[in-house]
Amino acid sequence: MSSGTEQDEDRFRRVYAEDFEALLAYALRRVAHPEDAADVVAETFLVAWRRRQDIPIAGATRLWLYGVARRVLANQHRGGVRRQRLGERLRQQIIVSVADPGSEVPERLAVRAALAGLAEVDREVLMLTVWEGLRPHEVAAVLGVTPAAVRTRLSRARARLRELVGDDPGPPGHVLDVLTAPTRTED
């Protein structure tokens, strides 16, 4: 005699074999892309596996699976709406916070070339400090060095970058702000 768990597993296998195609057709008619339908079916059968003791007996099984699939589709839709809203907010933030990079291409190329001329650790210290806005103790934690070493390397990197690019940083907000941007102080 088999145990209840084995019976539940056998029953789940039968439900899967009997209802997979109908459930896939159901999902395909409700999504824009076939791969989304495959996700719906997979998620529906995952729920069915987890709740295999709750699967109704006889003719109600497919209806129960359709109900689960309907909720999976609703969750996917809500998630898609949230992703779209988040994407729109991020696009708006980027538009507000990022100037047109096309106008800065020559300067950007000059800075990139000059940064490439720095020692790797000095370049990383400079980029973490200025572009990522980290404090010397935070840069030290990232690189595994002391804050004093970071301050020394930062000073040396800025001086070397000025040699390579020149002292004229251009108008405020210019790409070359890497030369003059203040370092955040330690708290």
Side-chain angles (χ1 to χ4, degrees):
M1 183 171 166
S2 64
S3 72
T5 302
E6 287 176 13
Q7 288 175 347
D8 288 342
E9 289 176 12
D10 289 342
R11 187 158 167 268
F12 176 82
R13 285 186 190 96
R14 281 193 309 276
V15 166
Y16 183 89
E18 292 170 5
D19 294 314
F20 175 83
E21 288 183 23
L23 193 59
L24 180 60
Y26 173 92
L28 282 167
R29 287 188 286 272
R30 286 162 176 78
V31 297
H33 305 287
E35 58 273 11
D36 293 336
D39 289 344
V40 169
V41 171
E43 183 70 24
T44 299
F45 277 113
L46 178 62
V47 170
W49 173 256
R50 289 180 181 153
R51 297 184 52 206
R52 60 189 175 272
Q53 296 85 6
D54 299 336
I55 296 174
I57 297 175
T61 303
R62 186 170 295 167
L63 300 177
W64 184 82
L65 288 171
Y66 285 164
V68 172
R70 185 173 174 271
R71 287 184 290 280
V72 168
L73 284 162
N75 288 340
Q76 276 189 348
H77 178 72
R78 280 191 300 273
V81 168
R82 280 192 301 269
R83 281 188 297 280
Q84 285 177 333
R85 287 180 187 155
L86 176 60
E88 185 57 35
R89 282 196 307 267
L90 290 173
R91 280 188 288 282
Q92 292 303 319
Q93 284 180 328
I94 288 171
I95 289 169
V96 169
S97 65
V98 177
D100 177 20
S103 63
E104 302 173 343
V105 169
E107 292 83 6
R108 186 175 301 276
L109 292 174
V111 169
R112 291 271 183 206
L115 284 171
L118 298 177
E120 184 179 341
V121 174
D122 290 346
R123 178 175 52 249
E124 190 65 11
V125 165
L126 190 61
M127 290 168 64
L128 286 170
T129 302
V130 178
W131 289 349
E132 307 308 327
L134 299 182
R135 294 181 174 99
H137 78 276
E138 294 169 322
V139 174
V142 170
L143 300 178
V145 298
T146 66
V150 168
R151 286 187 286 276
T152 300
R153 288 181 186 276
L154 182 60
S155 177
R156 182 175 56 219
R158 283 184 169 158
R160 178 72 177 124
L161 197 61
R162 274 191 203 94
E163 290 173 15
L164 295 170
V165 175
D167 280 329
D168 183 17
H174 193 271
V175 173
L176 299 180
D177 278 352
V178 73
L179 299 174
T180 59
T183 303
R184 291 175 61 194
T185 58
E186 300 286 339
D187 290 332

